[in-house]
Structures are given as C-alpha cells and as structure tokens.
Amino acid sequence: MKIAIIGFSNSGKTTIFNALTGLGLPTSSYPSTSGEARMGVVNVPDERIDSLSGIFRPAKTTYAAVDYVDYIGFTKGDTKQNAKVHAHIKDADALLQVVRAFEDPSVPHPFGGVDPMRDLRQLEAELVLGDLMLVEKRLESIEESLKKGRKEKVNDAERAVLLKCREALEAEKPLRELEFSPEELKAIRHLEFLSIKPEVVVFNVAEEMLKDKETVQKLIQDAQGLLKGNASALAMSGKIEMELAQLSPEEQKAFLADLGIEEPALRRLIKVSYGLLRLISFFTAGEDEVKAWTIKEATPASKAAGKIHSDIEKGFIRAEVVSYEDFMKCGGSMAEARKLGVFRLEGRDYPVKDGDIINFRFNI
Ligand SMILES: Nc1nc2c(ncn2[C@@H]2O[C@H](COP(=O)(O)OP(=O)(O)OP(=O)(O)O)[C@@H](O)[C@H]2O)c(=O)[nH]1
Ligand SMILES: [Mg+2]
C-alpha cells in the first residue's frame, strides 16, 4: 500500500515525510522542481500488537506497514508540470496533502502570503483539472474510433463512466465525491485519476499555533466542510514532529509534556491515513513472531492464508480463530481461550475480521 504526499512547494512535504519515515532528506526554502520520487516505509502503530508482543515476548514484532512517497510540489495553473507530478504518484492508493499554515518570512510562499484554505481549494482544483484533461483526452480518442467506424475498439461502459466523471469535474467536483459501482471503477481504473483517491489533509501549523486550539479547530472544521467522500483533515507542526522523530521515547515524552501535547500528531496521522485505505489487520502470534497482516475487509480465510504463504492457501484445512478482545478477556492465554471455547474453527470462506488472531492448519 502506498500513500503519496502532495501539496504546493514549501508547504513542508519533505519535512513531514522525514518525520514519518525517520529519514533525513534535505529540506530547503527553495522550491524543488525536479529530482526523483523518494519512498519510505512507515509502521502503523497498533496497541493490540504492543500487547500481544508483551504477552508472547517474540523474537520479532512486525506492524502493518505503508509506503509513503515524497515528490516535488504542484504548481498553480502549470498543467504540464502538474501532469509530471501526476505521472509519478498515480499508482498511490491514497493522498496526503500538506497545506502550509505556518508563517515564516524566511520561507517564501509560492502565492506570496499564507492562506491555508485558499491553498487547499487551489490544490483540489489542480487535481480536478488534471483528471478532467485525462477524461477529455480519453473521450476524444473514443470519439475518433467511433468516427472511423471501429466500434469494437470502444468500451461502452467506460464511455458512460467517463461522461459521468466529466460532468462532475466540470462542476469542479473531485471524483471521490461520486458513487461508483465496482464495474464502473473497473472500467476507469486504467486512467488512475488523482481526485478519486482517498485523501488526508494535514495543515502544517507553526509551533505557537498548536497552543491556539480554537484557531486550529476552526481550520480543521472548514476543511472537513469542504472535503466530501473518503477524506479527512488534521493539523500538526511538521517541524516539531521531525525533531520529535529523532528523539528516544523518553526524550519524546519530556518534549511533548513541555509543549502540552499528549500524543505525537504523527501517530494519529498514520492511523487516520491507514483508515482511509479501508484495510484491516489480522494477527499471527507466537514465540518467533507477532505480526499484523494487512488485508481488505471480508477477505476469505483461505485468501488471507495466502498472504502468509501460497502453500498455506493451497493446503488450507481450517483456521483457528480467536478475536483479540476475547483473547484479552481470557487473560491473554491461549490455553484459557481454548478451555473457554472462544477459539473457533473456521472454514476457507470465513470472512476474516479486524483483530482476529489466527492459526492456520494446512497440509502440503
Ligand atoms: N517555521 C517553519 N518552517 C517549516 C515548517 N515546516 C517546514 N518548514 C520549512 O519550510 C521549508 C520547506 O520545507 P520542505 O519540507 O522542504 O517543503 P516541501 O513542501 O517539501 O517543498 P518542495 O519540495 O520544494 O515542494 C524548509 O526550509 C523547512 O525547514 C514549520 O512547521 N515551521
Ligand atoms: Mg520537498
């Protein structure tokens, strides 16, 4: 799974990427206009994995992980440059939009002054415009085929969805606001639109502003009002989070207490963006490893087994399942869970649920 970080230049994309990944890419007050897209792996915090690890004391603990990608910014009105950005991030499963909300005279703003809601609207408009251009190009080529009488080259279902998309985009609506059937989604998947992707908006606020909870709350509410569909907004100070990410857990605690913050905003950001992907985790737990496995909701048990190894899927016999909650109610003891009968034997079609602890029985 992959999340692309987007935004205008100097909004703090690389700063937040560094905070997320613990990497140290250079940041600067000069806008980057070229270079490679950079990728980093981020573990998804999960208290359930922490507790299971505490119980099993495994040699290895593995959290669910998501790749984040950092690239150059969007440029207002520059469709050619923006198409280049689009090409680098189109295979992402979701977007993380960084919006500048910090004042700093030493960091130039591409539009002259700081105005977060204006920037958010503008960036949404750039996403919509990019997608509209793709739709139009595709429709043109379809019309061309029809004119030449090559009807066999035209997929009517695709054309119908494209017309639906065009209508929305022309009304300046991002595609994530529309409802699509699975068939419709399939017909347009190859175009890899950006405005259809789930999105989390992060206001990069100044350190001093974090204390002004009212202003921050207002900003988030305004953004939530603007964003429809699978999207969410929150605020953090990229600069602080980047500094925090470099400290030990003890130092982090002291630093946060100083600032009057309970939890690093980064943890929340990672959880919120994972939530947008509509994924769930099941767990395997033992002395060698406690591990979270990422699957789509309602994946059948045999397919979930295939995540671990194709042999387990092929030789699937049964899944021994206990929910995390039931397991903890049994004091975190497998023996107790078996005795109390909360351990279930499930067949290959059992839809796996978030938090299931599973032991697969298979034969090869
Ligand atoms: N004061 C302040 N400066 C920040 C903050 N976040 C980022 N900066 C500074 O803003 C400048 C740009 O930050 P980057 O993270 O490089 O921004 P970017 O969005 O990656 O920029 P481009 O890659 O050029 O599009 C750097 O000088 C950062 O140190 C912040 O929260 N407060
Ligand atoms: Mg950058």
Side-chain angles (χ1 to χ4, degrees):
M1 286 291 146
K2 195 149 123 185
I3 298 180
I5 305 180
I6 60 168
F8 291 112
S9 63
N10 278 354
S11 52
K13 296 182 296 299
T14 303
T15 304
I16 288 178
F17 174 85
N18 283 344
L20 283 164
T21 59
L23 297 173
L25 300 191
T27 62
S28 78
S29 56
Y30 303 103
S32 348
T33 51
S34 61
E36 293 291 305
R38 295 292 302 263
M39 196 150 86
V41 187
V42 177
N43 282 339
V44 182
D46 189 335
E47 288 78 13
R48 298 170 302 181
I49 286 285
D50 299 336
S51 326
L52 290 176
S53 230
I55 293 166
F56 287 90
R57 310 224 153 266
K60 192 172 167 207
T61 299
T62 311
Y63 293 82
V66 175
D67 292 325
Y68 281 78
V69 180
D70 179 38
Y71 191 53
I72 61 174
F74 275 82
T75 311
K76 183 180 169 185
D78 187 340
T79 46
K80 216 167 146 201
Q81 174 79 352
N82 293 345
K84 186 168 129 192
V85 178
H86 188 144
H88 274 82
I89 58 172
K90 62 186 184 180
D91 63 335
D93 302 286
L95 304 175
L96 189 175
Q97 181 184 162
V98 180
V99 181
R100 175 162 172 182
F102 67 88
E103 298 276 356
D104 186 337
S106 71
V107 181
H109 190 293
F111 319 143
V114 175
D115 182 345
M117 285 306 291
R118 173 205 59 201
D119 293 1
L120 171 57
R121 280 194 201 94
Q122 187 62 43
L123 199 95
E124 292 293 297
E126 301 296 347
L127 297 181
V128 163
L129 192 60
D131 286 351
L132 183 56
M133 284 168 60
L134 281 177
V135 167
E136 278 174 345
K137 213 169 121 199
R138 182 75 190 144
L139 279 171
E140 262 169 41
S141 100
I142 289 175
E143 295 311 323
E144 193 78 0
S145 299
L146 286 177
K147 243 194 259 158
K148 287 187 188 147
R150 298 163 80 178
K151 207 165 177 335
E152 72 288 351
K153 286 201 119 187
V154 175
N155 174 348
D156 290 328
E158 183 192 354
R159 185 163 175 266
V161 198
L162 288 174
L163 292 171
K164 168 174 163 179
C165 291
R166 183 167 75 181
E167 193 186 333
L169 293 166
E170 280 178 344
E172 293 172 20
K173 254 195 207 178
L175 297 176
R176 79 177 87 80
E177 293 184 13
L178 303 189
E179 301 268 349
F180 293 102
S181 70
E183 294 75 34
E184 287 180 318
L185 283 178
K186 206 171 150 206
I188 54 168
R189 193 160 52 202
H190 66 107
L191 290 164
E192 300 183 291
F193 295 126
L194 286 189
S195 77
I196 203 169
K197 297 187 196 294
E199 182 178 53
V200 53
V201 168
V202 176
F203 290 107
N204 187 10
V205 302
E207 184 177 337
E208 313 79 59
M209 200 168 147
L210 280 178
K211 297 205 178 91
D212 182 1
K213 296 223 161 75
E214 231 170 85
T215 309
V216 172
Q217 211 42 48
K218 168 95 174 47
L219 206 50
I220 292 173
Q221 266 168 15
D222 288 350
Q224 305 275 28
L226 180 81
L227 299 163
K228 294 179 188 75
N230 193 8
S232 194
L234 49 90
M236 66 165 64
S237 159
K239 214 171 174 181
I240 293 185
E241 295 294 332
M242 189 169 112
E243 283 165 22
L244 262 175
Q246 274 140 24
L247 301 178
S248 71
E250 292 75 43
E251 289 171 319
Q252 281 195 13
K253 267 203 190 116
F255 191 100
L256 287 172
D258 256 7
L259 291 165
I261 308 170
E262 297 100 48
E263 186 193 27
L266 211 54
R267 271 177 81 92
R268 256 197 29 247
L269 168 61
I270 300 168
K271 285 191 203 165
V272 168
S273 29
Y274 189 68
L276 289 180
L277 298 171
R278 307 244 159 101
L279 297 169
I280 60 169
S281 300
F282 75 88
F283 309 128
T284 51
E287 279 166 17
D288 351 320
E289 189 176 13
V290 164
K291 178 162 179 166
W293 301 85
T294 303
I295 51 172
K296 289 219 174 86
E297 258 168 351
T299 300
S302 59
K303 280 265 171 308
K307 279 262 155 190
I308 303 177
H309 201 288
S310 55
D311 284 349
I312 310 185
E313 180 175 353
K314 267 187 238 140
F316 182 95
I317 302 172
R318 283 262 182 282
E320 297 181 319
V321 184
V322 58
S323 74
Y324 172 81
E325 276 76 28
D326 285 346
F327 179 66
M328 294 312 278
K329 273 187 214 145
C330 300
S333 151
M334 285 292 176
E336 193 67 14
R338 286 210 166 81
K339 210 164 81 193
L340 291 176
V342 292
F343 236 107
R344 290 166 281 131
L345 277 181
E346 301 283 3
R348 54 189 317 115
D349 296 327
Y350 165 73
V352 174
K353 308 212 164 46
D354 187 46
D356 278 349
I357 303 171
I358 307 186
N359 178 35
F360 291 104
R361 288 200 204 154
F362 63 104
N363 93 42
I364 35 171

